[in-house]
Structures are given as structure tokens and as C-alpha cells.
Amino acid sequence: MADILKIIDQTDLLVFASPIYWFDITAQLKSVIDRMYARGKIGFHFTKTALLLDSGADHVYGAALAQYKAMCSYLKWTSIGEICIPDMMKKGSMRDSEKLAEVYELGKSIR
């Protein structure tokens, strides 16, 4: 985590990305977020974030979105976008998703 925090301390924008398992982000991403909690008191170098989620089903993003929005509010981060991509059922599904264009446009908007 020390190496991750060094990188986070130098970033201007942080993108959280995760598949949805059982209606929430992965345990691995949750662990990183939990370990960042202690740093919240002193603040972070960045103020902008984004969220990318994918899943096999639609309408499973509520918990993850709520957690992300609460985190942004608490830490005074500005979210530049939240993109949820359902129907990722097999390898290669992302290539065929119409939402991939949204991810591309979000990336282009980062300055």
C-alpha cells in the first residue's frame, strides 16, 4: 500500500474501476479504499475522481454508486463521471458495448 500511496500523492485525478460482484465493488478495491480512509483527515493532492463499473447484469450498481458518492462528498472530491456497463457476460463483451464510447469520451475529457 505504501507504493500505491506514493503514486496517489502525485496524481491529479483518481479513477476507481471495478466489476460488480454481489452488488458491490470487488474486495480488492474496497481494501484500497479502506486503507485510504486514514489519509482522508490530511487530504489528498487530487480533487477529481471518476468511477467505472461493469457487471453481467443491469440495475446492480446502487450500493457501489452510493458508496462512491458518499466518499466524494466526505472528501470534497469532484466526480467527473460515473459509467456503469452491464452485460459483460463473456470475454470480449467490452469491445461490443455501446458504453465503450462513453469511456473513451470520458478519457478524452481529462485534462
Side-chain angles (χ1 to χ4, degrees):
M1 189 64 191
D3 291 338
I4 293 171
L5 288 172
K6 285 179 190 174
I7 294 167
I8 288 173
D9 286 343
Q10 297 175 27
T11 190
D12 294 324
L13 177 136
L14 188 60
V15 177
F16 297 96
S18 177
I20 295 293
Y21 298 143
W22 286 104
F23 304 96
D24 209 350
I25 60 175
T26 62
Q28 292 88 346
L29 181 56
K30 179 71 165 94
S31 177
V32 170
I33 291 169
D34 286 350
R35 304 252 342 249
M36 289 174 60
Y37 179 79
R39 300 291 293 281
K41 189 170 188 176
I42 61 171
F44 295 93
H45 173 74
F46 63 91
T47 59
K48 295 180 182 178
T49 62
L51 180 66
L52 304 175
L53 301 172
D54 72 339
S55 66
D58 204 356
H59 309 295
V60 295
Y61 303 104
L65 287 168
Q67 176 187 21
Y68 171 73
K69 289 177 182 181
M71 195 169 48
C72 287
S73 176
Y74 178 75
L75 294 167
K76 296 177 179 45
W77 292 342
T78 301
S79 178
I80 65 163
E82 299 122 28
I83 301 175
C84 301
I85 306 175
D87 304 321
M88 298 294 102
M89 299 298 289
K90 61 184 179 191
K91 185 176 181 178
S93 294
M94 186 63 73
R95 274 192 314 262
D96 301 326
S97 175
E98 294 175 8
K99 293 274 195 164
L100 189 55
E102 286 183 48
V103 175
Y104 180 76
E105 289 301 319
L106 177 63
K108 281 181 29 181
S109 74
I110 296 171
R111 304 217 183 270

